[in-house]
Amino acid sequence: MPLLRQVALSIVLVVATSSRLLLVLLVVGVFVFLVPVVIRTWFTRYTLDEEQLLVWAGALQRSVRVVSPARVQQVEVVRQLRHRATDLALVRIELVGTASSRNRVELDALSVAEAERVRDTLERGRRRLSTDAAPVDVPPPPAAALLRVGTRQLVLGGLTGVPLLLVPFLIVSALFELVDLIRQGTGAEAEPRGALAVVLAIGVLLAWPVVAGGWMIFRFHGFELARSGDDLVVRRGLLDTRTSVIPLPRVQLVRRSASVLRSWVGLASLDICTASGESDGSSGWITTVPVGPASELDALIPLALGRESLTLDVHAHPLPARRRAITRRFAGLVAIIAVVPAAALLATGAPFALVAGVVVAATLVAFPSALAWGRAWYRRLGHEVREGLLIERDGVLLGHLRIVPVSRIQSISIEQSPWQRRAGVCTASVHLAGGSTDVKVRDLGPTAAVALAAAVRGLAGVDAAHWAAALSDRA
C-alpha cells in the first residue's frame, strides 16, 4: 500500500538513529505529525469521473463530500520531500469561494500516475461543464514554455527583493548566538567591540547574498510557465515540487510588483489571482512568477487576461494628491527622526536647547526628503478604465501595477477620511470575490471617483458632479 512506504521511511530513520535525544525527538515527531496524517489518509476513499468527485473521510466522525468539477478553481500536484522519497504525490483541489479549509480538498499518498489522472480528469470535467462541449483530453503543455526562470535570475531576484531587508537582522542575530556559543565552549575572554563588529560585518556581507539567493532557489527552482489551451501550467520547487493549473477564464487580478532595486535592473514579479484569498505565493489561488525581466512580464499580462495586447498607460491624479503625499511623508519622517529622538533626550534630562536643536535639524533634513519622496509617489499614482479592465498603479519603494477585469468586480465603494476631505480627495475601493483581495484607487477627486464607479458598473449618463457634491455634503 502506498501509505505504508511513508510510515516505513520514518521507522527506518528511527531505528538507524544512535543518539537517544534524536531518537526521542523522532519518535515524538512520528506521533505528533505522522500519525494524524496516517489516520486521515487511511480512512479516506474517493471515486472520480468527469461528473463528480466523491470523497469519504473520517475515522470516528465519517463524512461524504461531493465535489463538482464546475466548482474547481485550481488543481495542484504537490510532491514534498516525503513524497519524493516514497514516489508518491499529493493532489490539492481548491474550490471556488473564499480561502478556507472548507473550500479545499486534499488527496494524499497517491501514486504519481494516479495524481496526474485525478488532475486531468477534474480539468476535463471543468472544461466540459464550463463550455457545454464534448469531453476532450487535456492537451499537454507546449514544448516551448512561455517563461523559464533560471538560477541566475532567482539569485538576482533574491538580492533585489523586499525580504532582502530582513536578512541582515537574521544573520546578525545568528552570528551573535554563534559567538556566544564559541565563547562558552572555549572559555575565551570577550573580544574588543571593534574586532567583533568587523567580524560581524564581514559575516553579514558574505552570508547576505547566500541566504537571500538560496531562499529564492529553494522555493522556485526550475520555475516554468507554459500555456495549455485556456490554462496556464506552472511548475516549480527544489525539494517540494509543485505543478499547478490556472484556468485563464477565472483570473480576476493580475499584479506586477517591483522594488526600487528590481526596477533599476529591469526586473519585476507577477501575481496571477484566480479568486480572492490568502496565500503565500507558492500554493492556493495566488500564483507568483517570482522574478523576470519587466518587459517579458508585461507581455504576459494580456495573455493572463485573455487579451492579445494591452496598453498599460494610466491617467494622473489631481494636484491635491501630490500635496497630500508630501505632507504625509513629511509628518512621518519628522515623527521618526525628530519626535522619537527628542523624547529620548528629554527622558535622559538633556537641556531643552539641545532637544530643540535636534528637532530643528531633523525637520530641515525631513523636508527635502519628503518633498522628493512625495513627488515620486505622485508620479507613480494613476488609474484608467480601458477595454473592460481597471488599471491601477501606485508605490515607489515597492511599486505595484494592478489590472482587474471589470466583469470580476463585485462592488465598489468610495471612502473619504477627515484628512482626505480637507485635501478634497477620496479613495475608491474595488471589492473582488470573497472580499479579501481589494484594489484601492487612492486620492482621487470626488467627481473622478464617482465617474470611476459609474464606468466600472457600466452606468451611462451618471451626473458625477451631483453625486460628488452629495458625497462631500454627507462627509
Side-chain angles (χ1 to χ4, degrees):
M1 188 173 185
L3 180 62
L4 295 179
R5 281 186 255 168
Q6 296 196 24
V7 179
L9 179 64
S10 300
I11 295 175
V12 170
L13 290 175
V14 171
V15 173
T17 304
S18 58
S19 170
R20 287 188 176 182
L21 177 60
L22 186 56
L23 177 62
V24 172
L25 292 177
L26 283 173
V27 171
V28 171
V30 167
F31 278 97
V32 172
F33 298 104
L34 186 59
V35 169
V37 174
V38 171
I39 294 176
R40 183 172 63 249
T41 306
W42 188 279
F43 288 94
T44 299
R45 299 289 185 273
Y46 68 91
T47 60
L48 173 66
D49 55 34
E50 294 180 10
E51 298 294 334
Q52 64 183 6
L53 168 66
L54 294 178
V55 181
W56 291 266
L60 300 178
Q61 183 175 352
R62 292 299 187 94
S63 66
V64 180
R65 188 167 187 179
V66 182
V67 178
S68 170
R71 302 295 296 172
V72 172
Q73 186 77 22
Q74 182 172 319
V75 182
E76 187 175 41
V77 177
V78 181
R79 299 194 67 199
Q80 300 175 351
L81 187 58
R82 62 186 175 91
H83 295 106
R84 297 176 69 179
T86 53
D87 197 26
L88 299 175
L90 163 72
V91 177
R92 180 174 293 132
I93 306 164
E94 303 284 358
L95 305 179
V96 176
T98 57
S100 68
S101 58
R102 293 175 299 176
N103 289 323
R104 172 179 292 180
V105 178
E106 293 187 349
L107 302 176
D108 202 352
L110 304 181
S111 66
V112 177
E114 176 64 11
E116 293 177 352
R117 186 191 74 83
V118 170
R119 180 194 64 196
D120 293 346
T121 303
L122 288 173
E123 288 298 326
R124 283 197 300 269
R126 177 181 62 79
R127 289 182 179 182
R128 187 181 64 81
L129 293 174
S130 61
T131 61
D132 293 327
V136 295
D137 291 336
V138 176
L146 298 175
L147 179 70
R148 287 191 177 94
V149 181
T151 302
R152 178 178 175 275
Q153 284 187 332
L154 288 175
V155 172
L156 190 57
L159 295 177
T160 55
V162 172
L164 176 70
L165 302 177
L166 303 177
V167 173
F169 300 100
L170 298 177
I171 295 176
V172 169
S173 176
L175 288 176
F176 269 115
E177 292 294 332
L178 179 61
V179 170
D180 288 340
L181 289 175
I182 293 175
R183 287 175 177 172
Q184 293 175 8
T186 60
E189 297 293 332
E191 298 178 4
R193 292 185 177 180
L196 181 58
V198 171
V199 172
L200 289 176
I202 295 175
V204 169
L205 290 176
L206 294 177
W208 192 352
V210 174
V211 174
W215 174 244
M216 289 287 286
I217 294 174
F218 178 80
R219 292 187 64 192
F220 298 105
H221 174 74
F223 184 94
E224 179 181 281
L225 179 68
R227 177 76 179 264
S228 176
D230 289 333
D231 299 329
L232 293 179
V233 180
V234 179
R235 295 186 179 90
R236 73 278 191 197
L238 181 61
L239 299 181
D240 295 353
T241 60
R242 301 172 185 268
T243 302
S244 305
V245 179
I246 307 170
L248 291 179
R250 291 182 175 172
V251 172
Q252 69 171 9
L253 171 65
V254 177
R255 177 176 55 229
R256 188 195 66 188
S257 305
S259 64
V260 174
L261 293 177
R262 284 188 179 177
S263 298
W264 286 347
V265 296
L267 297 177
S269 63
L270 196 68
D271 294 328
I272 303 174
C273 311
T274 55
S276 61
E278 302 297 332
S279 175
D280 60 359
S282 60
S283 65
W285 302 336
I286 302 178
T287 300
T288 298
V289 180
V291 67
S295 58
E296 293 186 19
L297 297 187
D298 286 347
L300 286 176
I301 291 176
L303 173 63
L305 295 168
R307 309 297 176 96
E308 294 183 0
S309 62
L310 178 63
T311 302
L312 300 177
D313 296 337
V314 295
H315 283 160
H317 285 196
L319 289 178
R322 183 175 65 180
R323 293 195 297 269
R324 184 168 182 268
I326 296 172
T327 302
R328 291 180 64 190
R329 280 145 187 82
F330 177 70
L333 289 174
V334 168
I336 294 174
I337 66 178
V339 175
V340 174
L345 288 174
L346 287 175
T348 58
F352 180 78
L354 176 60
V355 176
V358 169
V359 172
V360 171
T363 302
L364 293 176
V365 172
F367 180 74
S369 302
L371 184 64
W373 188 3
R375 286 177 176 270
W377 189 86
Y378 173 75
R379 285 194 298 269
R380 285 283 305 168
L381 187 65
H383 80 284
E384 180 64 76
V385 179
R386 180 190 302 118
E387 301 175 9
L389 299 173
L390 169 62
I391 306 172
E392 183 269 337
R393 186 182 69 189
D394 62 14
V396 177
L397 299 180
L398 180 59
H400 294 290
L401 177 70
R402 304 175 181 89
I403 304 96
V404 181
V406 171
S407 60
R408 310 295 292 180
I409 295 175
Q410 301 291 320
S411 64
I412 183 170
S413 60
I414 301 174
E415 306 160 357
Q416 194 175 46
S417 68
W419 295 274
Q420 286 181 316
R421 191 157 56 247
R422 289 190 60 183
V425 296
C426 57
T427 296
S429 297
V430 176
H431 309 291
L432 305 180
S436 59
T437 303
D438 295 340
V439 175
K440 292 184 179 294
V441 184
R442 305 178 189 277
D443 292 349
L444 278 169
T447 302
V450 174
L452 170 63
V456 166
R457 302 316 303 165
L459 303 176
V462 173
D463 188 348
H466 170 74
W467 285 103
L471 173 67
S472 300
D473 292 340
R474 284 182 176 273

